[in-house]
Amino acid sequence: MTSALLTEPTPPPATSGRGWRGRDGRGGGGRASITGAVGPLGYGLVTLWLSVIVLLPLAALTVTSFENGLSGWWDAVTAPSALAALKVTVGISLVVAVLNAFMGTLIAWVLVRDEFPGKGAVNALIDLPFALPTIVASIVLLSLYGPQSPVGIHLNATQPGVLVALAFVTLPFVVRSVQPVLIEADRDVEQAAASLGASNLTIFRTVVLPVLLPAVASGAGLAFARAIGEYGSVVLIGGNIPRHTQVASQYIQQQIEVDSPVNAAAVSVALLLIAFVALFVLRVLAGRGLRRQERAA
Amino acid sequence: MNRPRLALIAATGVAAAVLAACGGGSSDVAGAGNQAGGKSVGTLSLYAYAVPKPGFDKIIPGFNATADGKGIAFQQSYGASGDQSRKVAAGAEADVVNFSVEPDVTRLVDAGLVDKDWNANQYKGVPFGSVVTVVVRKGNPQGIKDWDDLLQPGLEVVTPNPFSSGSAKWNLLAPYAAKSDGGQNAQAGLDYLGKLVGDHVKIQPKSGREASEAFLQGTGDALLTYENEALFLERSGEKVEHVTPPATFKIENPIAVVNTSKDLAKAKAFVAYTFTPAAQKLWAQAGFRPVDPAVASEYAKDFPAPTKLWTIADLGGWPSVDKALFDKEKGSVAKIYDAATQ
């Protein structure tokens, strides 16, 4: 819903693995001058676009959420049911982000470093969760892992069910941000380390991971931000049980239905703040990592 | 310096297009315009809740076949009743609205978009309705016949959360009215709801359709829903059947003209048409209970009469029911739902 608006360009840009040639950070810029600046016209366009798409809606939302003053906002966000929904949402989203960091990196690794038949198809599959309407995802997940599960996995109306739904819709983030970095990564250093007798684990820890970490962090951050705002995919498999599987977006919908738009906006702004803080912290950490790398180089 | 100027012109063009796109709001769901009789003589925009779509699919061609409705195209928008009502209140251009519950019309009366006398006709502005029923698995394995049968130990009931779906309030009003003898003994009704929601309702779907979906996917043993939804599920070949308890509740779905309509005469003609015997038969064929007594008796075998059919009027009307039971802070049902998930 809202979190998708928070996607900031993070180094490196998350494009699909194929056709990524951006070593200088200015891929296919065309007629940019030596410094790479776009001039006042570019600034104007960017400002206009960001205003229309991001700033105005978010400002309007924020203004609405403070209609009853700061204390009203605080009361709305700290109401027991709101707090419970936020806790459930943030808790499960954190687990999903960490899970994605591991599995996404692994998937990217397999797609870049291994050859197997049907690799192209798998690579194309990764983006499908973005294309599938989320409510359809929820129906599919419920029929697969619900009471009539053909595979004997019953996750209906449980927190693991919510987790699976969130993991499904956030799958592409880490994979797509790690992939291009892996493609660009310098294999010579790894080979040198190996020839000097370093074990696979040591090579990964000291050579590969530092390069990948910023990409993993930014991908996980995006996955987290997307997960806390997710609605459609959770709807059926989650069961919407307050204090157990009700996520914040479902709570927000309920507030709108009982004609409390201000409460709904307040909780939305709380979600935005959480997403913003998470992305900000990750960027700071990733920036530090990069600087440390540059010093080491 | 030709290039920058070109870029400037292009950018201005883009900006203008963006702003134009923001300004020019159009209706979000365009239904297929019915061009019966060739040339369109106007368009009516209908905002309705999702369930009666099969009914309107029959009613609109029926209206187009009358002298009043010849050549009128329809833009139809369907969605959750509360959402549809809020959209119109927020300025969506509608000519005719049809909601699940009266408070959704009242919202528009308060906003000055619907006349105060919208429900002045003999049917109180309600052209069709249904009754609350219980859907069970094929063969009714638990032998559910009445409200008390839902309280069997371990039995799970699926019903939407009344606070995320205004229409779900009907489902809870049915046992409440039956157990409280039409509100005479409110505590008995609330005791029943406390047991039902506390011990037997586990998941809380957002809408009737989601509740149906969860039930069809194997969640729960009984689904509280409207008779038309039950008939719809049975007709689409699902392995379910429905049992209407002897005492249940009359569901009344109001229709109203929006007074800001650019074509008020046509909007009024359409609303009037939905009450005619011809239209009443179409509602009945789509699974909704007609309100015209003559048509109702014609379709009596499709819609068996319960022993006792309570109405919202018996409980004192929507405003007082909403306040007493469904107020999100102090309502008795809100407290029951809160206690159930502690």
Side-chain angles (χ1 to χ4, degrees):
Chain A
M1 194 180 74
T2 47
S3 57
L5 299 174
L6 282 174
T7 54
E8 304 170 55
T10 42
T15 50
S16 80
R18 280 153 310 177
W20 163 254
R21 308 181 311 282
R23 208 164 248 250
D24 55 352
R26 289 202 307 270
R31 289 175 22 317
S33 61
I34 298 298
T35 54
V38 285
L41 182 65
Y43 279 127
L45 250 183
V46 168
T47 309
L48 176 76
W49 185 248
L50 282 181
S51 302
V52 169
I53 297 293
V54 184
L55 295 176
L56 284 177
L58 294 190
L61 180 72
T62 312
V63 167
T64 308
S65 74
F66 286 107
E67 250 171 45
N68 300 339
L70 193 60
S71 64
W73 183 87
W74 185 246
D75 288 346
V77 173
T78 54
S81 46
L83 215 50
L86 283 169
K87 273 185 194 154
V88 168
T89 309
V90 173
I92 297 179
S93 299
L94 275 175
V95 177
V96 165
V98 173
L99 208 62
N100 264 318
F102 280 105
M103 291 313 298
T105 309
L106 187 63
I107 292 170
W109 188 272
V110 170
L111 286 176
V112 173
R113 296 280 171 102
D114 291 276
E115 282 305 328
F116 54 92
K119 183 167 144 177
V122 174
N123 199 10
L125 268 182
I126 302 289
D127 290 327
L128 273 191
F130 275 164
L132 192 68
T134 48
I135 185 73
V136 177
S138 206
I139 292 177
V140 170
L141 290 172
L142 184 64
S143 57
L144 271 181
Y145 307 131
Q148 294 173 329
S149 169
V151 288
I153 301 174
H154 302 288
L155 300 175
N156 182 29
T158 60
Q159 293 192 340
V162 177
L163 186 109
V164 168
L166 295 182
F168 176 86
V169 293
T170 56
L171 170 76
F173 285 108
V174 175
V175 180
R176 292 304 185 218
S177 51
V178 171
Q179 234 178 340
V181 184
L182 260 183
I183 290 172
E184 292 291 305
D186 209 342
R187 304 283 298 264
D188 297 352
V189 187
E190 286 173 57
Q191 279 153 359
S195 70
L196 291 171
S199 69
N200 271 343
L201 188 66
T202 313
I203 295 174
F204 184 77
R205 218 168 32 86
T206 56
V207 178
V208 183
L209 198 58
V211 180
L212 288 188
L213 216 44
V216 174
S218 79
L222 289 179
F224 174 79
R226 174 79 176 76
I228 61 170
E230 177 55 22
Y231 179 70
S233 65
V234 181
V235 160
L236 284 171
I237 193 154
N240 194 24
I241 302 169
R243 297 181 182 80
H244 182 55
T245 61
Q246 184 180 62
V247 296
S249 55
Q250 287 171 311
Y251 177 82
I252 289 166
Q253 184 276 331
Q254 206 162 298
Q255 291 303 306
I256 291 173
E257 185 63 37
V258 295
D259 287 322
S260 316
V262 178
N263 286 4
V267 178
S268 310
V269 169
L271 279 184
L272 281 180
L273 283 175
I274 293 165
F276 180 78
V277 168
L279 289 170
F280 185 77
V281 167
L282 280 169
R283 291 204 60 172
V284 169
L285 290 179
R288 269 196 204 158
L290 272 177
R291 275 196 298 279
R292 199 177 312 133
Q293 243 177 271
E294 280 161 10
R295 273 199 304 274
Chain B
M1 293 312 275
N2 221 344
R3 275 235 162 106
R5 188 165 304 166
L6 259 181
L8 187 70
I9 291 167
T12 315
V14 168
V18 166
L19 291 174
C22 293
S26 64
S27 162
D28 52 349
V29 181
N34 260 301
Q35 303 286 347
K39 220 162 72 73
S40 166
V41 292
T43 303
L44 286 180
S45 162
L46 166 73
Y47 273 72
Y49 73 108
V51 172
K53 183 177 184 303
F56 281 113
D57 286 344
K58 293 178 190 282
I59 289 280
I60 287 170
F63 179 59
N64 283 143
T66 65
D68 282 339
K70 200 168 163 45
I72 295 179
F74 275 84
Q75 274 213 328
Q76 303 161 60
S77 160
Y78 297 101
S81 192
D83 287 345
Q84 295 292 80
S85 168
R86 276 184 294 269
K87 267 189 226 170
V88 176
E93 288 185 11
D95 300 307
V96 176
V97 289
N98 162 235
F99 298 130
S100 170
V101 286
E102 190 188 285
D104 285 335
V105 183
T106 312
R107 179 184 289 118
L108 300 185
V109 174
D110 294 343
L113 293 165
V114 167
D115 292 343
K116 281 196 171 57
D117 64 352
W118 67 274
N119 53 1
N121 76 358
Q122 68 189 100
Y123 301 114
K124 299 203 167 53
V126 176
F128 63 92
S130 197
V131 298
V132 177
T133 190
V134 183
V135 176
V136 294
R137 307 278 170 209
K138 198 92 188 153
N140 198 354
Q142 275 95 358
I144 293 165
K145 292 189 183 62
D146 202 350
W147 297 114
D148 282 330
D149 298 333
L150 296 177
L151 302 184
Q152 296 172 34
L155 190 140
E156 189 186 337
V157 178
V158 179
T159 184
N161 178 307
F163 301 97
S164 53
S165 158
S167 341
K169 292 171 183 172
W170 296 117
N171 297 356
L172 298 177
L173 286 174
Y176 171 80
K179 292 288 162 193
S180 66
D181 197 24
Q184 297 301 310
N185 180 0
Q187 198 48 49
L190 293 175
D191 288 347
Y192 177 90
L193 289 185
K195 286 197 198 91
L196 181 75
V197 173
D199 303 337
H200 302 276
V201 172
K202 188 173 153 212
I203 62 165
Q204 300 184 5
K206 173 177 77 82
S207 67
R209 194 40 58 77
E210 274 170 27
S212 299
E213 190 59 42
F215 182 73
L216 294 177
Q217 294 287 357
T219 306
D221 308 291
L223 167 74
L224 299 191
T225 189
Y226 329 134
E227 182 187 49
N228 53 277
E229 177 80 357
L231 291 169
F232 175 78
L233 295 179
E234 284 166 19
R235 285 170 190 172
S236 46
E238 303 289 353
K239 290 190 177 63
V240 296
E241 54 190 69
H242 75 283
V243 185
T244 303
T248 185
F249 208 83
K250 187 178 184 188
I251 293 171
E252 299 170 285
N253 308 123
I255 193 166
V257 174
V258 179
N259 59 24
T260 53
S261 167
K262 290 191 181 65
D263 207 339
L264 211 51
K266 291 223 165 47
K268 282 183 173 156
F270 177 67
V271 169
Y273 169 77
T274 62
F275 292 95
T276 59
Q280 288 290 302
K281 283 181 183 163
L282 295 176
W283 287 120
Q285 285 161 17
F288 296 90
R289 293 200 170 209
V291 291
D292 182 305
V295 178
S297 61
E298 200 178 322
Y299 286 87
K301 65 175 192 326
D302 292 353
F303 303 112
T307 319
K308 174 70 195 163
L309 191 59
W310 294 102
T311 66
I312 192 76
D314 296 335
L315 298 180
W318 269 115
S320 72
V321 167
D322 253 347
K323 196 162 172 253
L325 299 182
F326 298 109
D327 181 273
K328 62 177 187 294
E329 306 286 341
K330 303 180 199 65
S332 320
V333 174
K335 285 180 185 152
I336 285 171
Y337 263 85
D338 256 358
T341 53
Q342 288 298 353

